Amino acid sequence: MRNLVIEPTSKTPKVILNADLGIFEITGRSIPEDAIGFYRKVLDWIEEYGKSPLPETTFKFQLEYFNTSSSKCLLDIFRKLERMHKSGHKVSIRWHYDSDDEDMAETGQDYQALLDVPFELVPV
Amino acid sequence: MSMTYSYYKNMQLNNIIFVYQGEVTADLVSSILQMVENKLEGEGEDRKVKKRVFNVMVECLQNVYHHLDALPPTDPSNPVRDKTALLMIGREEKDYYIITGNHVMNDRIPEVKARLDRINRASKEELKQLYQEILTGTGFSEKGTAGLGMIDIARKSGQRLGYDFHPVNDKYSFFSLEARVSRIPEK
């Protein structure tokens, strides 16, 4: 499976989905007007990867800002990871946030509460 | 030209740091965000305050952008067929304020008003619940936010949202929304 790399813009994050290593990252800002349009490619890729994932998958999120239309897309990504986890694959989500950004910490906790998948909050 | 000074004084008196009246495009939203962010950065505003202002600004501006997109462009009684709106950002001693103004169809007013009143009545905990309900629900429109934006603005603002509907004609009103962000960082 081909790796997916999307370079960041002022409104969209850097995305690295490495199928060889099982290492995924979304970092930067996610404030596009059309979040569904941006994340469609990412979601399709993860869906495909989820059909035969590596024994271990780590997904790092480190977002400085994200808008509410991205928040639903992030949940969609988490749900796909949750499904992988439930079908017996090792999956871990690491939510990195600026240690004095309480809003981002709280958002991470909100997601954590909604999901049944290892979800770690990592202050940086 | 004689009006220039009074515009200037008026903006100064009202602590306006930015005002825009015109067509709202995605590129314009990007430019405004960048400009205001640079300004906050340059003036050494507290990092937490800066982040909140930026977040609230993103939601307010994108809310207007999505809303204008939904207005019927060819309706002859639509006062603005070119997607224009008013965007304003100000800084007072205690708060930043973000004001947006745009036309809405009168038949949508009850729904918007009910949503805003519900948000303004809700406690911090209730807003969080409401946010999660909408986030996990299935009623997510293709357009994007289905009310999440307003709740997020209220959560980040921590203050009541101000709003007004000014009648324009029998089909349209001018809707203004004001969100405030405290300049005094918590703790």
Side-chain angles (χ1 to χ4, degrees), chain A:
Chain A
M1 183 172 187
R2 280 187 67 128
N3 297 335
L4 180 69
V5 176
I6 303 172
E7 290 304 322
T9 69
S10 64
K11 283 189 180 172
T12 54
K14 183 173 177 77
V15 179
I16 302 173
L17 303 175
N18 187 317
D20 307 322
L21 302 171
I23 292 174
F24 303 164
E25 278 183 33
I26 294 186
T27 49
R29 305 180 160 196
S30 181
I31 52 169
E33 279 80 14
D34 178 18
I36 296 172
F38 176 77
Y39 281 102
R40 188 169 291 131
K41 224 196 294 182
V42 175
L43 285 162
D44 288 348
W45 193 97
I46 297 170
E47 179 70 31
E48 193 56 38
Y49 172 84
K51 289 176 184 166
S52 56
L54 294 178
E56 203 170 328
T57 303
T58 308
F59 210 136
K60 173 185 168 184
F61 290 83
Q62 185 163 3
L63 291 165
E64 187 192 2
Y65 293 111
F66 67 91
N67 60 358
T68 48
S69 35
S70 298
S71 63
K72 177 66 165 76
C73 298
L74 291 180
L75 183 66
D76 290 344
I77 294 176
F78 296 146
R79 291 285 187 223
K80 289 197 189 299
L81 298 171
E82 186 180 47
R83 227 169 293 146
M84 275 185 237
H85 167 70
K86 283 182 173 170
S87 63
H89 303 280
K90 197 168 175 213
V91 177
S92 59
I93 299 172
R94 295 169 63 85
W95 181 264
H96 292 244
Y97 63 95
D98 184 348
S99 57
D100 64 5
D101 188 345
E102 293 149 29
D103 292 334
M104 201 53 91
E106 201 182 334
T107 313
Q109 288 159 11
D110 286 357
Y111 280 124
Q112 198 179 36
L114 291 172
L115 297 161
D116 180 18
V117 58
F119 191 109
E120 194 185 340
L121 295 163
V122 188
V124 287

Side-chain angles (χ1 to χ4, degrees), chain B residues 1 16 22 48 51 74 111 116 119 122 139-140 143 167:
Chain B
M1 286 303 286
I16 297 166
K48 274 190 223 175
K51 279 201 160 185
T74 53
E111 179 201 330
L116 285 165
I119 290 171
F140 193 76
K143 274 249 155 236

